[in-house]
Amino acid sequence: MDPVTTNKLFPRLAKVLALCASMPLAAPVAADVNVYSYRQSYLIDPMFEAFTEQTGIKVNTVFAKKGLIERLVNEGNNSPADLLITSDIGRVLQGVEAGVTQPIESDKLNDTIPANFRDANNHWFGISARARLIVVAKDRVTEDELTSYADLASPALKGRICTRSGKHDYMVALIASQLAHNGEEATTTWLSNLKTNLARKPQGNDRAQIKAIAQGECDVAVVNSYYMGVMLSDPEQAPAAQTVRIVFPDQGGNGTHMNVSGVSMTKSAPNKMDALMLMEFLVSEEAQALYAEVNHEYPVRTDMKASNMVAAWGDFDYDSLSMSDIAAQRALASKLVDRVGYDN
Ligand code: FE
């Protein structure tokens, strides 16, 4: 078809083509930021949308339940990923230990995030915090019966506790924190006595422990705080969650054990400047409020409140042990789990 015919048949198309031809070819286009995430999209998308609205920078997300670190290793320098988002210090550190992250110098990140919730070497930064709570049957456990992690080893609780596998990251981190505070001997005794107190072989996820309390299988469980938020917000799971009372352990002592979700810059990040802008946005007041609302976690910023539901559970003192100090005890914690036969 020659141009004359185009003009005749499609005058509008011809005008558009002429306009395109007059535009410079290398018009500056805002680059995207690419995120590999172990966190589900619905948890992080609200923040990314707010970021895009403010900056015009698009955020692409690849979500997977596993295999993202392996993928980064395999992709090497050709990886399109700029940021890695993970939760639990065990997983946060997998990327660092695999060598796929890079240190980031940012006054904004360092000034905003408390030191215990970020890496001293700047390879990862906490963006939300979760408490490892004790929950108890409202009708079977009195207020003063149980106030600390140490109490989980009390003979009074024999056959009354449910937890998930001692090998799970959440349990390993809790045991690691006890190691950091109390040393190997005391922690081995504690874990061994806690094992004696189990009502059943460790099984299921954290929510399954709350359901087991509701069903009368046990009276006490150890769970991450946001699962209470998830269950209370879900009409099907709320009745089970309403049978338990939250205990913030170790108030007046070391404080309640905390963990984080975090973000790292990948070693090969192709869009470093924009990715850093996104990292800094993630700890802004706006993003922290959005994140706390949707995931029922605690903001890492000490100047911000949790969502209304989570804040209503009460203020508490958290254990200020650094995530790095906890991480340093993870290997030994895992060994103790085997040594006392926790999962058997
Ligand atoms: Fe979880």
Side-chain angles (χ1 to χ4, degrees):
M1 197 182 279
D2 63 70
V4 177
T5 325
T6 307
N7 281 335
K8 256 191 215 156
L9 293 179
F10 307 107
R12 258 191 92 209
L13 175 63
K15 251 185 220 167
V16 170
L17 288 175
L19 188 68
C20 285
S22 70
M23 285 195 326
L25 279 178
V29 177
D32 297 354
V33 175
N34 300 314
V35 178
Y36 282 3
S37 175
Y38 278 133
R39 303 223 82 186
Q40 294 177 63
S41 300
Y42 81 93
L43 294 175
I44 49 181
D45 282 351
M47 294 186 291
F48 293 168
E49 281 158 19
F51 175 74
T52 302
E53 208 167 288
Q54 280 185 21
T55 62
I57 300 167
K58 207 179 143 211
V59 183
N60 306 309
T61 320
V62 173
F63 162 74
K65 281 192 165 173
K66 52 183 177 181
L68 289 177
I69 308 293
E70 293 79 355
R71 184 166 167 175
L72 280 167
V73 170
N74 290 336
E75 289 171 344
N77 283 336
N78 299 320
S79 178
D82 297 296
L83 300 179
L84 176 66
I85 288 186
T86 50
S87 59
D88 190 277
I89 188 62
R91 275 194 146 181
V92 168
L93 284 174
Q94 274 176 19
V96 180
E97 282 159 8
V100 295
T101 60
Q102 66 172 305
I104 287 302
E105 290 296 338
S106 160
D107 288 345
K108 191 160 185 183
L109 291 174
N110 286 336
D111 293 346
T112 312
I113 307 169
N116 57 309
F117 288 148
R118 56 182 161 80
D119 180 22
N121 298 317
N122 297 319
H123 275 268
W124 61 265
F125 299 87
I127 53 174
S128 66
R130 60 274 298 278
R132 192 119 183 101
L133 305 171
I134 296 175
V135 291
V136 300
K138 276 179 185 164
D139 58 347
R140 303 191 293 278
V141 180
T142 59
E143 294 269 344
D144 49 3
E145 203 173 342
L146 183 64
T147 61
S148 66
Y149 297 115
D151 288 342
L152 293 171
S154 150
L157 292 178
K158 195 164 176 73
R160 296 171 68 193
I161 303 178
C162 284
T163 77
R164 71 193 311 160
S165 162
K167 286 290 202 179
H168 189 274
D169 279 337
Y170 303 163
M171 291 302 290
V172 170
L174 172 62
I175 299 162
S177 75
Q178 299 304 295
L179 275 168
H181 284 305
N182 306 322
E184 182 170 350
E185 204 184 320
T187 304
T188 307
T189 307
W190 170 75
L191 191 62
S192 172
N193 290 336
L194 165 52
K195 192 236 169 340
T196 308
N197 287 345
L198 294 180
R200 58 179 191 178
K201 196 176 139 92
Q203 58 196 269
N205 55 22
D206 280 359
R207 274 170 290 175
Q209 317 310 318
I210 295 171
K211 288 171 189 164
I213 292 180
Q215 286 157 4
E217 231 180 305
C218 35
D219 295 341
V220 174
V222 184
V223 300
N224 277 359
S225 50
Y226 54 88
Y227 288 117
M228 281 298 291
V230 170
M231 289 181 75
L232 289 168
S233 308
D234 173 1
E236 259 177 45
Q237 300 182 79
Q242 279 154 359
T243 69
V244 306
R245 177 164 55 79
I246 289 172
V247 176
F248 291 102
D250 290 35
Q251 299 304 289
N254 290 326
T256 299
H257 167 63
M258 303 298 286
N259 211 314
V260 289
S261 76
V263 62
S264 294
M265 175 93 68
T266 68
K267 197 176 184 178
S268 57
N271 310 299
K272 198 172 163 181
M273 290 318 292
D274 289 345
L276 175 58
M277 212 192 289
L278 177 55
M279 286 173 97
E280 291 178 342
F281 179 76
L282 292 180
V283 296
S284 67
E285 281 188 37
E286 181 184 358
Q288 287 278 294
L290 284 169
Y291 203 27
E293 195 62 47
V294 69
N295 71 9
H296 308 291
E297 286 187 79
Y298 294 94
V300 281
R301 292 174 65 124
T302 49
D303 59 345
M304 288 192 63
K305 281 257 177 217
S307 70
N308 287 340
M309 181 205 281
V310 176
W313 300 339
D315 289 334
F316 66 101
D317 290 330
Y318 68 72
D319 188 346
S320 56
L321 203 61
S322 81
M323 288 294 117
S324 304
D325 288 344
I326 293 172
Q329 300 292 333
R330 284 185 82 257
L332 180 55
S334 200
K335 264 187 209 160
L336 292 197
V337 171
D338 288 333
R339 201 181 294 165
V340 307
Y342 192 85
D343 283 356
N344 301 340

